[in-house]
Amino acid sequence: MKPISSRRARAVIVALAAGSLALTACSKNEGGDSGTDSKKDQNEASVQSKAVTYADAAGSTGPAEDVAGAKSGGTINVYQEAGLSHLDPGQIYVSDAGQVANLLFRRLTQFKEDGKGGVSVVGDLATDSGQSSDGGKTWTFKLKDGIKDSNGAAITSADVRHTVERQYAKFIFDGPTYLQTWLSGADYRKALPDGGFGKKHLPASVLDTPDDKTVIFHFDTARPDLPQTLAMAGYAIVPEKTDTKEAYDKAPVATGPYKIVSNKVGKELVLEKNTNWDPKTDSVRHQYANGFDFQFGVTESTQTKRLIADQGEDKNAIQLTGAVEATQIQDVIGNAAVNKRTVKGYQPYVMQLTFNLDRVKDLKVRQAITYAVNSKSLIAGEGGAYGGDVAPNYFAPTLPGYEASYDPYGRLKMPQGNIAKAKEILKGVPAAEKKVVFAYSNSEAGQKRKVAIEDALTKVGFDVVSKEVDSASYYEQIGKLNNPYDIYITGWGQDWPSAGTVITPIYDGTQVADGSSNYSHVKDPKVDGLIKKALSEDPTAAAATWKEAQHYLLEKVLPAAPLWYTKQFQLSGSNIGGARYGSVSSLIDITRLYVKS
């Protein structure tokens, strides 16, 4: 799961997140730890590696447990710097849209948190988290009774089939691809070129819907992670009769507790209650507020100032994926009343300086840049110890298999960069190869990152040409195979607790395509072989294979320079109730908020 292109991480999530659907350590809302003890933070983050449990029908039955003290009514204001790149569920793989998706859309399954770091997968539209057979190759889901979209139309298995099949269409290019590739291989689009909009459909031997309430997936190998995959925002249901293809991105139909009233792209998104959402069918979400007003174009520094001041409508406001702006962190932690209104926690994202291998072909250039980059300066722009920690490798502390001491480029010893080593490597490299085009987001955070990257690389002799990219479409632009950039900062976090959800999406050579998350365009036979091997192994054996893949990638291929691990530090207004850090979204848990008065 990739993060949004501004300061805080998708997903991905994500991401997820996430969407963010990556799982991270849980942090207490009231008071919380300071976040300045990195070793302690990383130990707390390791709760991520706990196994996610799969719930039965009882655990999937609504309504969700009430939030203590919750009240109904009021509107929650949501501040965000960049606009949303997508609202079509099939295109959602970034944490900002993933947060909105938690209010608007339902999936077959969903993650449920206990507030103590424990996470389970429950049936969302399905009666449970799924029933597997045939050694995990076949999965069956039964739909709950009384499920409707915001138009009042019943959701049936035909809508689930349509949701899956439309993922094969060419206009869906920015979302997750796990399910499609598992069902139809890396060239899945060839299996259903029109995305199911014509007369052709996936055969029953792949996807079967024998009646209105039953959905059966057939895979050629065991897919034990399917319940977690289907919980991603990217697989939320799109009702067949209301699908407008490309236009759906601007006006999707809701299945969750809220629906869209108006959408002024890049400016404002207004939600109100979806009266066709039945809380008795939903064990995760709530519908306390009358609505949400998402306001875009509000910089992180402005968000922070307004939320610290806590006046008027700002009392009813939250940050979406943004965080306390770095220069104002002391103003927050130094005021007990304000600090009490924060949520803090480790995120699953590893921020990297990614190389476009189609353009930066010389390994020496990539090595020199990796030694030169200044993680210390970059992290300072994120808020110092509150914003992140130095990343020596590609695996975050939240990921099973994390190696805290694996540091092949000496990042932990010299977080400010090893200028002498970088200069030594560059000796003999032609001047033409020292000119690099750096893409950066046109956000406050992007500007800070630009300065840090230019400063570090210029010191060792690089000619850096910086190109500004719109923050809302940042990942879309760098996701184009023929993009005109040599280097760009990206972030990725696991979609669930498995290194396979890190290595596969961003380093699998079969996934080099427009819109793919393989931003470096890695095509390495050994990496592809290790991915294939790990995906066929039991978790213990696979962990060793994923470790081997990371070491080979970082030491021999070097598709990206690891920079920092992200942390979240968000602020909300004094009239917001129910705020806590979400161990699934790695952001404020937007599903449980209410207005106090």
Side-chain angles (χ1 to χ4, degrees):
M1 177 182 56
K2 61 196 169 195
I4 59 169
S5 55
S6 63
R7 175 150 125 70
R8 286 296 176 264
R10 186 185 209 198
V12 138
I13 196 142
V14 174
L16 295 95
S20 164
L21 298 175
L23 312 177
T24 55
C26 184
S27 161
K28 293 180 181 178
N29 173 45
E30 302 300 337
D33 294 321
S34 69
T36 56
D37 186 338
S38 295
K39 187 173 181 180
K40 181 180 179 182
D41 288 347
Q42 292 189 12
N43 287 336
E44 290 179 350
S46 67
V47 73
Q48 165 96 18
S49 62
K50 287 171 35 176
V52 173
T53 59
Y54 290 174
D56 57 13
S60 305
T61 301
E65 182 179 351
D66 277 334
V67 176
K71 299 178 180 179
S72 295
T75 297
I76 295 176
N77 299 313
V78 186
Y79 301 146
Q80 181 77 345
E81 184 167 357
L84 303 176
S85 55
H86 295 292
L87 279 174
D88 182 329
Q91 302 274 55
I92 293 177
Y93 210 171
V94 182
S95 56
D96 52 359
Q99 281 282 74
V100 179
N102 286 331
L103 301 174
L104 291 175
F105 309 124
R106 298 180 68 177
R107 310 75 142 145
L108 279 176
T109 60
Q110 177 62 292
F111 289 110
K112 183 178 182 179
E113 307 174 42
D114 63 7
K116 303 174 183 177
V119 177
S120 61
V121 176
V122 300
D124 191 2
L125 296 180
T127 56
D128 56 25
S129 56
Q131 298 294 320
S132 65
S133 57
D134 189 25
K137 295 180 181 180
T138 299
W139 283 86
T140 301
F141 297 86
K142 296 281 188 178
L143 298 183
K144 293 174 179 175
D145 295 328
I147 302 289
K148 298 179 181 179
D149 66 22
S150 56
N151 295 323
I155 298 296
T156 70
S157 61
D159 296 308
V160 179
R161 170 181 285 279
H162 176 72
T163 297
V164 174
E165 292 183 339
R166 74 190 298 272
Q167 299 273 358
Y168 290 63
K170 288 184 179 180
F171 71 86
I172 299 294
F173 59 86
D174 219 14
T177 61
Y178 294 108
L179 184 58
Q180 306 92 292
T181 55
W182 290 354
L183 290 171
S184 303
D187 293 328
Y188 65 89
R189 293 192 195 275
K190 294 180 180 179
L192 200 64
D194 66 357
F197 286 94
K199 294 182 179 180
K200 186 178 179 182
H201 296 280
L202 293 174
S205 59
V206 174
L207 176 60
D208 194 11
T209 50
D211 57 54
D212 285 349
K213 287 292 186 70
T214 306
V215 180
I216 306 172
F217 295 95
H218 297 283
F219 304 101
D220 58 5
T221 189
R223 296 296 180 186
D225 290 343
L226 181 66
Q228 298 183 77
T229 309
L230 293 175
M232 299 175 72
Y235 296 118
I237 299 303
V238 175
E240 183 175 16
K241 292 180 181 179
T242 56
D243 193 345
T244 52
K245 297 185 179 181
E246 290 90 343
Y248 198 75
D249 217 2
K250 300 295 186 290
V253 174
T255 50
Y258 294 89
K259 64 181 182 180
I260 296 173
V261 178
S262 65
N263 179 21
K264 298 176 183 177
V265 177
K267 296 181 179 179
E268 185 179 35
L269 176 70
V270 179
L271 310 184
E272 68 178 11
K273 286 185 177 182
N274 170 15
T275 56
N276 284 300
W277 172 78
D278 184 354
K280 294 193 296 294
T281 68
D282 197 326
S283 64
V284 177
R285 302 170 187 82
H286 300 278
Q287 197 187 48
Y288 295 127
N290 288 336
F292 288 78
D293 186 348
F294 293 82
Q295 300 169 30
F296 304 105
V298 185
T299 64
E300 284 194 337
S301 58
T302 299
Q303 293 174 30
T304 306
K305 287 176 184 176
R306 289 167 63 173
L307 289 169
I308 289 174
D310 197 41
Q311 299 295 310
E313 285 299 307
D314 294 329
K315 292 183 177 182
N316 299 342
I318 64 169
Q319 296 182 292
L320 183 62
T321 59
V324 173
E325 193 266 329
T327 64
Q328 300 177 68
I329 284 177
Q330 293 302 320
D331 295 332
V332 173
I333 63 175
N335 185 322
V338 176
N339 192 37
K340 188 178 180 181
R341 297 190 271 115
T342 62
V343 294
K344 313 176 183 74
Y346 227 110
Q347 295 190 304
Y349 303 100
V350 181
M351 304 305 293
Q352 307 167 350
L353 184 62
T354 295
F355 303 110
N356 181 341
L357 297 186
D358 293 332
R359 294 168 60 99
V360 188
K361 298 180 179 181
D362 191 337
L363 178 60
K364 286 186 177 180
V365 172
R366 303 199 296 274
Q367 289 173 331
I369 290 175
T370 300
Y371 277 109
V373 287
N374 189 333
S375 290
K376 186 175 181 179
S377 176
L378 287 161
I379 292 170
E382 304 296 308
Y386 290 91
D389 288 331
V390 176
N393 57 63
Y394 297 150
F395 286 1
T398 57
L399 189 70
Y402 168 64
E403 300 173 87
S405 60
Y406 176 51
D407 185 16
Y409 295 95
R411 181 74 74 236
L412 296 175
K413 292 181 180 179
M414 300 185 71
Q416 75 279 12
N418 190 333
I419 302 301
K421 181 71 173 178
K423 287 182 175 180
E424 179 185 335
I425 294 172
L426 275 183
K427 287 180 180 178
V429 172
E433 294 187 27
K434 295 179 185 177
K435 183 177 181 179
V436 292
V437 180
F438 171 57
Y440 69 97
S441 163
N442 67 343
S443 62
E444 286 185 330
Q447 292 287 345
K448 293 176 183 178
R449 294 171 183 178
K450 169 182 174 288
V451 172
I453 294 296
E454 286 179 341
D455 180 65
L457 299 191
T458 301
K459 283 180 179 177
V460 298
F462 282 101
D463 177 12
V464 183
V465 179
S466 297
K467 298 288 187 180
E468 185 178 273
V469 178
D470 174 59
S471 58
S473 61
Y474 179 82
Y475 276 99
E476 184 177 335
Q477 297 306 313
I478 65 172
K480 294 178 179 178
L481 280 182
N482 292 323
N483 76 67
Y485 314 118
D486 296 313
I487 55 176
Y488 24 81
I489 290 179
T490 65
W492 193 267
Q494 70 246 34
D495 290 310
W496 56 86
S498 167
T501 68
V502 172
I503 296 293
T504 305
I506 53 179
Y507 300 124
D508 186 345
T510 67
Q511 298 192 31
V512 177
D514 281 337
S516 164
S517 299
N518 188 335
Y519 298 109
S520 58
H521 312 157
V522 173
K523 286 185 179 180
D524 189 284
K526 182 169 182 177
V527 174
D528 294 346
L530 289 171
I531 290 173
K532 186 175 182 180
K533 179 173 181 280
L535 292 175
S536 66
E537 295 175 321
D538 66 75
T540 302
T545 304
W546 293 126
K547 177 180 177 180
E548 182 183 353
Q550 181 192 204
H551 284 227
Y552 176 77
L553 278 161
L554 196 49
E555 296 170 31
K556 304 298 183 182
V557 182
L558 193 56
L563 298 174
W564 76 92
Y565 301 132
T566 66
K567 296 178 183 178
Q568 188 54 278
F569 186 44
Q570 292 185 293
L571 185 60
S572 58
S574 62
N575 205 29
I576 294 293
R580 75 178 184 192
Y581 187 71
S583 58
V584 170
S585 66
S586 69
L587 298 159
I588 190 171
D589 187 344
I590 203 167
T591 66
R592 49 181 280 122
L593 302 178
Y594 65 91
V595 179
K596 293 179 181 177
S597 61

